[in-house]
Amino acid sequence: MASKILIIGACGQIGTELTMALREKVGRNNVIASDIREGNEELMASGPFEIADATSFEQIKELVEKYGVDEIYLMAAMLSATAEKHPMKGWALNMESLFHVLNLAKDKKVSKVFWPSSIAVFGPTTPKQNTPQTTVMEPSTVYGISKQAGERWCEYYFNKYGVDVRSIRYPGLISYKTLPGGGTTDYAIEIYHEALKNHKYTSFLKKDAELPMMFMDDAIRATISLMEAPAKSVKIRSSYNLSALSFTPHTLAESIKAHIPEFEIDYAPDFRQEIADSWPSSIDDSRAREDWGWKPEFDLRKMTSAMLEGIKDVHHV
């Protein structure tokens, strides 16, 4: 019997691609997508979909019972830049949805949970270069505070109730399939669209703002491989550091110029620069590599080629 998987927040940037990847892997009817709104055509046509509010325990529990769900991937969240504008809403969505899922697992309604954390758990006092797995965490954004609190609760539920919860601290994620969703690292998606459309881009981060990033294909692969790892290999139950590449808006622009020589970039940093300043420049993910064999496949050159090709195919730019 294939286990039944519920993805909450399936229409978001990660959720969309994760749903498609899991449906391909375990069969379309074994992956139930849910979100507060409908997703793109491809997602909607690819298997079962339910409208559900991640902050409603009853609605989530109902879906678990209706489909006999065994695993939950909780991808619903309010991202960094958006949550700064709506702090209480961001906190409520990010925390309530996590408690609902952890409590379902505690009550043995589901056997395994994936919950994404983020580099936003780190703050201005965290070592910036090669940020260690265990280090000072004093996040200064609502999103980061909710993710840090979430990590502590995940570990608590594992230690106290034996809940099999697994997590990754995602860096900035870059994809051509869905449009940016209100994150501070989203300049690295916008820039490709603008390069193809207008041959110029104004970055909302400074020229030298270096941040850890990852191509979406790598992030999806990491997520599924962590969930498939034997429980005894998953030694960290707060959240794993994960890394692939780090770059600045300037180095990204240079990699685009190799394909579009006339591309130009200028800089007009806004409030998101302050968020970026509080985050690491590079991440030490040696524990993920040791414990469950993580290894990225995309470097900057390979990612830029994939992004430009992908945007042409999907968005017909």
Side-chain angles (χ1 to χ4, degrees), residues 84-105:
E84 287 307 289
K85 295 174 184 162
H86 310 283
M88 291 298 100
K89 276 188 177 158
W91 172 260
L93 168 60
N94 295 355
M95 297 312 297
E96 284 171 24
S97 57
L98 174 59
F99 280 123
H100 296 338
V101 168
L102 289 175
N103 285 325
L104 284 165

Side-chain angles (χ1 to χ4, degrees), residues 147-166:
K147 288 298 185 187
Q148 194 204 7
E151 285 193 12
R152 306 271 47 86
W153 280 111
C154 286
E155 192 170 66
Y156 181 86
Y157 269 71
F158 171 74
N159 288 331
K160 191 94 175 161
Y161 309 116
V163 167
D164 187 354
V165 58
R166 303 169 182 211

Side-chain angles (χ1 to χ4, degrees), residues 7-10 12 14-15 18 73-77 114-116 170 223:
I7 300 179
I8 303 169
I14 309 172
L18 182 62
Y73 289 71
L74 172 57
M75 311 312 288
F114 178 82
W115 173 79
Y170 287 126
T223 304

